[in-house]
Amino acid sequence: MLAKRIIPCLDIREGQTVKGINFLQLKQVGDPVELGAKYAAEGADELVYLDISATLEGRRTFADLVARIAQRINIPFTVGGGISSIDDAARLLDAGADKISINSAAVRDPGLIDQIARKYGRQFVVVAIDAKVIDGQWRVTTHGGHKLSDRELFTWAREACDRGAGEILFTSMNHDGTQNGYPCETYSRLAELPIPIIASGGAGTAQHIADVLTLGRADAALAASIFHYGTLPIPTLKSALRAQGIPVR
């Protein structure tokens, strides 16, 4: 089994890291550069930064923030939010990001995945998918979970993979911020794709993460609340995973 990755996620709004429940009730939890440096020092394998209020001005400000992060962080990091063109991706990659994450724009224009993958390589492209269960079916949402699309999770994940996504970052809207665990059966099904799957939304304990990495067959676990609020420090989490025989770096 390949080593599993632990990835703190930092949602950015107006230059600050924020966290909420089901993408609502947002509270500031710290400076994104300082938090990122702290997590890197504690043993995080990667970081994900998402600009969740990406206005045009916000995207320019975010590129400046990415440059500051790149100067301080010595582990790979992915950035997303408001990326809707090759130029948007180029701006963030040039600023120092290792990978970019696209979500709403990819649903609106799936060809964007092909374009970015062709120009930069699929290893630079993470397709983020936010979905919720409606009438027993996983439905893909956009715009930070506020708009419901006509796409179904597994069909869309397969298409994203076929178009050139290097990884899928799936967030369950039903579980986000609740700290009640991940939908492992859903991740296990996504893991049938030939690219890495990053699990997001619902981590509250080390066992939740152990479950999604084993039962859910995810390649990486992304979490926010447990790290931001000090509930489960990264060294403690990795020790707990090793104790269960789960390989981590």
Side-chain angles (χ1 to χ4, degrees):
M1 184 188 297
L2 294 176
K4 304 292 189 177
R5 290 170 287 154
I6 301 301
I7 307 176
C9 179
L10 297 91
D11 292 337
I12 309 300
R13 184 175 185 178
E14 297 176 353
Q16 288 293 310
T17 310
V18 297
K19 186 57 189 162
I21 298 176
N22 303 131
F23 293 4
L24 301 173
Q25 304 171 18
L26 299 175
K27 298 179 181 179
Q28 290 190 4
V29 293
D31 176 82
V33 179
E34 296 304 321
L35 269 180
K38 173 179 179 287
Y39 294 147
E42 289 179 348
D45 298 297
E46 297 182 19
L47 299 170
V48 169
Y49 287 90
L50 299 176
D51 184 357
I52 63 172
S53 60
T55 61
L56 180 60
E57 180 179 358
R59 282 199 297 271
R60 287 197 296 267
T61 303
F62 191 50
D64 294 338
L65 174 61
V66 168
R68 290 199 290 121
I69 293 167
Q71 291 176 349
R72 285 287 305 277
I73 305 300
N74 60 358
I75 59 175
F77 69 97
T78 300
V79 296
I83 298 172
S84 59
S85 69
I86 288 280
D87 289 342
D88 291 337
R91 184 180 303 114
L92 296 171
L93 291 170
D94 289 346
D98 295 281
K99 293 179 274 191
I100 57 95
S101 170
I102 53 177
N103 188 336
S104 300
V107 174
R108 183 174 63 250
D109 177 16
L112 181 62
I113 303 172
D114 305 75
Q115 294 170 24
I116 298 175
R118 277 198 303 267
K119 183 168 183 178
Y120 293 104
R122 69 186 304 152
Q123 71 272 19
F124 290 96
V125 185
V126 178
V127 172
I129 303 176
D130 302 330
K132 63 175 66 175
V133 177
I134 298 178
D135 296 329
Q137 184 182 57
W138 282 102
R139 295 281 301 281
V140 175
T141 66
T142 62
H143 298 81
H146 295 295
K147 293 187 178 182
L148 188 65
S149 79
D150 60 356
R151 293 183 176 273
E152 186 269 340
L153 168 63
F154 301 105
T155 304
W156 173 230
R158 167 60 67 180
E159 180 179 345
C161 174
D162 291 345
R163 287 181 175 274
E167 294 180 284
I168 296 290
L169 166 57
F170 167 53
T171 300
S172 165
M173 291 288 301
N174 302 86
H175 297 76
D176 178 71
T178 65
Q179 300 188 49
N180 291 326
Y182 299 87
C184 290
E185 290 184 5
T186 302
Y187 283 105
S188 181
R189 186 173 170 187
L190 285 171
E192 296 173 6
L193 292 172
I195 58 174
I197 304 298
I198 303 170
S200 166
T205 68
Q207 191 59 51
H208 291 155
I209 292 177
D211 287 345
V212 82
L213 295 176
T214 54
L215 300 175
R217 299 193 293 157
D219 298 274
L222 178 147
S225 299
I226 59 171
F227 300 137
H228 297 338
Y229 300 134
T231 308
L232 186 62
I234 294 170
T236 303
L237 169 59
K238 286 196 167 185
S239 293
L241 295 175
R242 290 190 189 100
Q244 294 198 38
I246 300 170
V248 291
R249 297 170 183 170

